[in-house]
Amino acid sequence: MTNREAHVGVGSVLADLPDPEDEHDVPNHVAINHAESTVEKLRETEHGQAEHPAYARAYPDEPAFTLVAGKSAPPVHHDVPRRLTVRECARLQTFPDSFVFEGNKREQYAQNGNAVPADPAASVVAELL
């Protein structure tokens, strides 16, 4: 058995980011334009593992689920019925907000999923045991 150190929850990591729909200067912080049917599905999604992994919603006070590069959809925001922005995923990977991801949105999400947390000591991504 290992001693587990205290973790940082998703909610506190994302708390100071502006609403991606509002005007701001945070790079890579643009919400996906979901169909209303998707928004309804995301609204119904409870915290924790979902019936389908693409609809998993993190608990605000727990580490994030592992980000996966090949996944067709980024994780669901812990509080709002939408997928995480590239910047929110980058925050979970401990990238500084000054780091700008290049390429199209799919490539930017893949870069996040392929990354190792920039600051492993501060990582909020759940470790696999």
Side-chain angles (χ1 to χ4, degrees), residues 28 66-71 74 85-95 99-118 125:
N28 306 114
T66 302
L67 299 177
V68 180
K71 200 172 186 180
T85 67
V86 171
R87 176 57 45 208
E88 290 165 333
C89 290
R91 279 270 183 103
L92 297 176
Q93 290 282 50
T94 69
F95 281 96
F99 186 90
V100 178
F101 291 87
E102 302 292 336
N104 64 41
K105 201 173 276 194
R106 179 179 292 262
E107 292 168 336
Q108 293 172 20
Y109 281 115
Q111 290 168 35
N112 266 291
N114 281 327
V116 173
V125 177

Side-chain angles (χ1 to χ4, degrees), residues 59-84:
Y59 292 98
D61 298 327
E62 295 292 327
F65 298 120
T66 302
L67 299 177
V68 180
K71 200 172 186 180
S72 60
V76 178
H77 192 278
H78 68 281
D79 191 39
V80 184
R82 64 170 174 76
R83 305 262 179 213
L84 295 180

Side-chain angles (χ1 to χ4, degrees), residues 10-89:
V10 171
S12 64
V13 172
L14 305 181
D16 66 333
L17 282 171
D19 183 326
E21 300 294 329
D22 294 342
E23 190 172 323
H24 59 77
D25 60 357
V26 179
N28 306 114
H29 190 50
V30 179
I32 295 172
N33 187 15
H34 297 301
E36 188 56 37
S37 59
T38 301
V39 172
E40 284 305 312
K41 180 73 174 171
L42 298 177
R43 186 174 283 121
E44 296 169 2
T45 303
E46 306 261 344
H47 292 102
Q49 294 292 343
E51 185 175 313
H52 188 281
Y55 290 99
R57 179 188 297 269
Y59 292 98
D61 298 327
E62 295 292 327
F65 298 120
T66 302
L67 299 177
V68 180
K71 200 172 186 180
S72 60
V76 178
H77 192 278
H78 68 281
D79 191 39
V80 184
R82 64 170 174 76
R83 305 262 179 213
L84 295 180
T85 67
V86 171
R87 176 57 45 208
E88 290 165 333
C89 290

